[in-house]
Amino acid sequence: MAAPKSTNVADIIVESLWNAGVRLVFGIPGAKIDSIFEKLLDHPQIRLIVCRHEQNAAFMAAAVGRLTGRPGVCIATSGPGATNLATGLATATTEGDPVVALIGSVPRLQSLKHTHQSLRAIDVLGPVSKSAVDILVEDQVAEVMLDAFRTAEIYPQGSTVISLPMDLSKLESRIPAFSPDAFIAPSYGLAAQSSLQQACQLLRAAKFPVLFLGMRSADPTTVHIIRNFLRKHPMPVVETFQAAGAISKDLLHLFFGRIGLFRNQPGDKLLAKSDLVLTVGYDSYEYDANQWNPSAKLDIVHIDYKECDYGFYYKPKVELPGSIPENFKQLTDQVTLTSFPEDSETCQTLHKEFSTLKNISTFQEHGLVHPLHFIAVLQKHVSEETRVISDIGTVYIWLMRHFFSYQPRHFLSSNGQQTLGVGLPWAIAASLVQDPPCSQKVISLSGDGGFMFSSQELSTAVQQGCNITHFIWNDGKYNMVEFQEELKYGRSAGVDLGGVDFVKFAESFNAKGFRVSDSAELEQVMQQALDYQGVSIVDVQIDYSHNRELAGNLIPEEYD
């Protein structure tokens, strides 16, 4: 029998990327990983995106994972190159975004020595990822690559890390890259029939069931099936921030808004009055159960790819682990609702309250731009197909409560870690995954503080030909911290920023800069910025004088 043909390790890695469906790789080169960059240079169909910071490369890879459902890929060199990935990988793992990170390391002979960029990077990145593996011998490469992709894609999705010693990339292996079908993660099936029957019985008996959609309910396939369920079995619905876009316009009469952070929304009141909550793809990272179920009295049906994190405030009557779409198909066919809570006085009162919030527009003829005025104008200028991305900060609270999206994965935010700086990198990735790339406008928003966390990627956006308009809500503060400090202490500390002319900043990167200094300018300037083909920045002087209302009017315990 002929000996297996040997293949260069770096070639196996690149072929594995291609077979895994990777078409974009984000990273920064360095001596310990440059062999992979050199191979990628010759690949005709994998696009290498050189970033300005490894953290942002991880953010971009995570956005690819969230938007496509398949792992995004980032790549960094040893030492600080690897450790700079940590925040991006932690965010991806927490928020369920599949990512594979490739990092370089020193030659194996030097791995235990105090040598240049010697660092136990796997020990650093292991706690923030689903798996972190050192490749020790050349014949492991193909299998480690395969396992990293499968692990990242299996629910709960998240990040994985592969460390490649510098000397290994020059060697050859007898085990080739696995074929594309091997990289397809296994499918999930139905929950136990006894559990499905029990869930149906609970639904039939419920007088006020509520559907609570979480982050793992937001992929297009699952959303389609949930919408069909609601058309056949109408019941009130709430979303977490990461489930934004799950409810379509024709189902708005069942929608009571998004919930999270502060228990003061109509959807929170809805849950408090429910006698059965169906959580779908919910993760406690999104909104702690002790906040939305403080009495620990709610009856819950848990529907997810995995078993629940059982606790005092989250103790389901029944769990349906397995394929969310398949289990929902079964519920759609088997259940018969005996009550229609949307017709109740409670639902009508709460929906009226929610509709009032939805239709608020605080227009000021002159002066700073009120957040609700901005959101009302933006809503008019975007289609259902426009992707809108919110960075973290006060901007994200206003948007999550008042901006409406009707398509899954079209309105994105970081919720589990609330990571500052994701806005622009995610927008870049959203632009690049389009077919053809950069063909449609992407909108991103941040505060002035959050923008500066990743503003160097303006250079990447311009270089790659992205079509992005990024709005900065500028008040010269870390405002999300400021208003919460003031609520706790009566004053704020460590929040003052300012000192940046964002119009000139944009122009220095060959982007287009705009400014809204007065609310009377908003409509015209927004239209100009959105019409601009390329990368533009809009500095919006924002009115945050009503921010305390975001955390006010918490629902009292006696409401439950």
Side-chain angles (χ1 to χ4, degrees):
M1 183 176 179
K5 180 183 176 181
S6 294
T7 307
N8 173 262
V9 162
D11 285 323
I12 292 172
I13 289 173
V14 172
E15 187 176 355
S16 296
L17 294 176
W18 172 255
N19 290 348
V22 175
R23 301 298 180 263
L24 294 165
V25 174
F26 305 92
I28 295 178
K32 308 303 190 297
I33 199 69
D34 58 9
S35 60
I36 308 303
F37 280 77
E38 194 270 335
K39 295 293 184 182
L40 286 170
L41 191 64
D42 295 327
H43 199 286
Q45 292 176 289
I46 297 179
R47 187 172 176 181
L48 176 61
I49 310 298
V50 178
C51 303
R52 273 58 182 176
H53 194 288
E54 291 89 352
Q55 176 173 289
N56 299 324
F59 287 157
M60 293 178 203
V64 169
R66 185 173 299 194
L67 292 169
T68 67
R70 302 295 304 276
V73 173
C74 56
I75 184 168
T77 193
S78 56
T83 59
N84 282 344
L85 295 173
T87 297
L89 299 183
T91 303
T93 301
T94 300
E95 299 180 7
D97 301 324
V99 172
V100 173
L102 288 167
I103 60 172
S105 62
V106 300
R108 288 168 294 173
L109 186 62
Q110 296 178 321
S111 62
L112 298 179
K113 296 180 179 180
H114 291 281
T115 189
H116 178 68
Q117 288 193 341
S118 178
L119 176 74
R120 297 179 65 86
I122 292 299
D123 292 343
V124 175
L125 299 177
V128 300
S129 57
K130 290 183 68 179
S131 71
V133 177
D134 268 314
I135 298 177
L136 301 177
V137 297
E138 56 270 29
D139 282 347
Q140 290 180 311
V141 172
E143 291 178 346
V144 169
M145 289 291 293
L146 176 65
D147 182 69
F149 276 90
R150 289 170 65 91
T151 300
E153 196 168 345
I154 291 170
Y155 289 95
Q157 296 179 324
S159 64
T160 59
V161 182
I162 301 168
S163 178
L164 177 68
M166 181 181 180
D167 57 313
L168 265 181
S169 63
K170 303 174 184 177
L171 303 181
E172 294 195 343
S173 170
R174 297 169 299 167
I175 300 176
F178 286 86
S179 61
D181 60 311
F183 287 89
I184 300 172
S187 300
Y188 293 79
L190 288 171
Q193 279 299 318
S194 58
S195 297
L196 283 162
Q197 290 170 8
Q198 186 180 355
C200 289
Q201 290 170 0
L202 289 169
L203 270 167
R204 280 193 290 268
K207 302 298 183 186
F208 203 106
V210 173
L211 196 61
F212 182 175
L213 302 181
M215 66 184 191
R216 283 185 289 274
S217 69
D219 67 276
T221 300
T222 302
V223 165
H224 175 73
I225 290 169
I226 289 173
R227 290 175 178 179
N228 286 340
F229 172 88
L230 288 169
R231 291 180 183 114
K232 186 174 181 180
H233 307 293
M235 66 176 63
V237 186
V238 295
E239 296 173 343
T240 62
F241 295 170
Q242 278 187 234
I247 298 303
S248 54
K249 275 187 175 180
D250 67 302
L251 295 170
L252 272 182
H253 61 289
L254 302 175
F255 186 49
F256 287 76
R258 302 187 194 104
I259 54 176
L261 288 182
F262 306 109
R263 188 174 182 248
N264 59 5
Q265 295 299 290
D268 291 304
K269 295 178 182 178
L270 186 79
L271 288 177
K273 296 301 182 184
S274 171
D275 63 351
L276 183 67
V277 178
L278 280 73
T279 62
V280 187
Y282 159 77
D283 197 300
S284 56
Y285 276 123
E286 302 184 87
Y287 191 23
D288 290 322
N290 65 292
Q291 290 187 264
W292 57 267
N293 185 22
S295 66
K297 295 177 181 178
L298 291 175
D299 288 342
I300 297 169
V301 174
H302 173 88
I303 306 171
D304 199 2
Y305 289 99
K306 69 183 191 75
E307 72 286 354
C308 77
D309 293 327
Y310 201 98
F312 181 76
Y313 296 100
Y314 192 78
K315 40 192 175 188
K317 292 283 186 181
V318 62
E319 298 180 56
L320 301 180
S323 167
I324 296 177
E326 292 302 318
N327 282 321
F328 248 93
K329 284 181 183 177
Q330 290 292 307
L331 291 177
T332 302
D333 294 338
Q334 294 181 20
V335 77
T336 302
L337 295 184
T338 58
S339 63
F340 300 92
E342 72 273 16
D343 296 331
S344 69
E345 183 180 350
T346 299
C347 265
Q348 289 179 9
T349 300
L350 290 176
H351 206 274
K352 184 177 180 180
E353 180 183 339
F354 173 64
S355 297
T356 300
L357 290 175
K358 181 167 71 79
N359 294 321
I360 289 174
S361 176
T362 306
F363 174 75
Q364 300 170 153
E365 188 172 349
H366 292 289
L368 300 177
V369 177
H370 191 283
L372 293 179
H373 178 200
F374 180 95
I375 292 169
V377 175
L378 179 65
Q379 195 84 61
K380 291 192 302 182
H381 283 81
V382 298
S383 72
E384 286 192 28
E385 300 304 318
T386 304
R387 282 212 160 93
V388 177
I389 295 159
S390 175
D391 207 331
I392 291 303
T394 308
V395 59
Y396 130 98
I397 307 176
W398 284 106
L399 286 165
M400 282 297 156
R401 290 189 179 177
H402 297 282
F403 183 80
F404 279 74
S405 176
Y406 306 105
Q407 295 295 336
R409 294 178 175 165
H410 279 64
F411 182 29
L412 309 184
S413 74
S414 169
N415 194 38
Q417 289 291 348
Q418 292 187 334
T419 304
L420 270 177
V422 299
L424 182 60
W426 282 8
I428 292 169
S431 187
L432 291 171
V433 299
Q434 294 172 349
D435 185 19
C438 310
S439 54
Q440 301 294 324
K441 177 67 72 176
V442 174
I443 296 171
S444 52
L445 306 95
S446 70
D448 49 314
F451 176 71
M452 292 305 293
F453 266 60
S454 52
S455 59
Q456 66 268 49
E457 299 303 336
L458 270 178
S459 181
T460 307
V462 171
Q463 185 180 59
Q464 297 299 329
C466 295
N467 187 7
I468 297 168
T469 296
H470 185 97
F471 295 95
I472 300 171
W473 286 15
N474 185 3
D475 75 323
K477 309 270 190 178
Y478 282 126
N479 182 266
M480 188 173 174
V481 177
E482 180 187 35
F483 88 82
Q484 292 182 80
E485 285 183 346
E486 288 175 348
L487 288 170
K488 285 190 282 186
Y489 310 116
R491 60 179 183 171
S492 61
V495 298
D496 293 321
L497 298 172
V500 181
D501 184 327
F502 289 111
V503 172
K504 291 181 179 178
F505 188 88
E507 291 170 350
S508 72
F509 286 88
N510 288 322
K512 181 70 173 176
F514 298 90
R515 179 174 288 114
V516 178
S517 301
D518 188 278
S519 60
E521 305 165 353
L522 178 61
E523 186 100 34
Q524 180 181 3
V525 173
M526 183 180 290
Q527 186 66 65
Q528 291 173 347
L530 294 175
D531 286 343
Y532 181 78
Q533 296 299 301
V535 180
S536 60
I537 301 295
V538 186
D539 178 358
V540 180
Q541 300 297 301
I542 203 74
D543 175 10
Y544 275 153
S545 61
H546 292 81
N547 279 358
R548 290 193 176 202
E549 298 170 9
L550 296 173
N553 303 310
L554 298 180
I555 299 171
E557 291 184 11
E558 55 267 25
Y559 192 90
D560 294 89

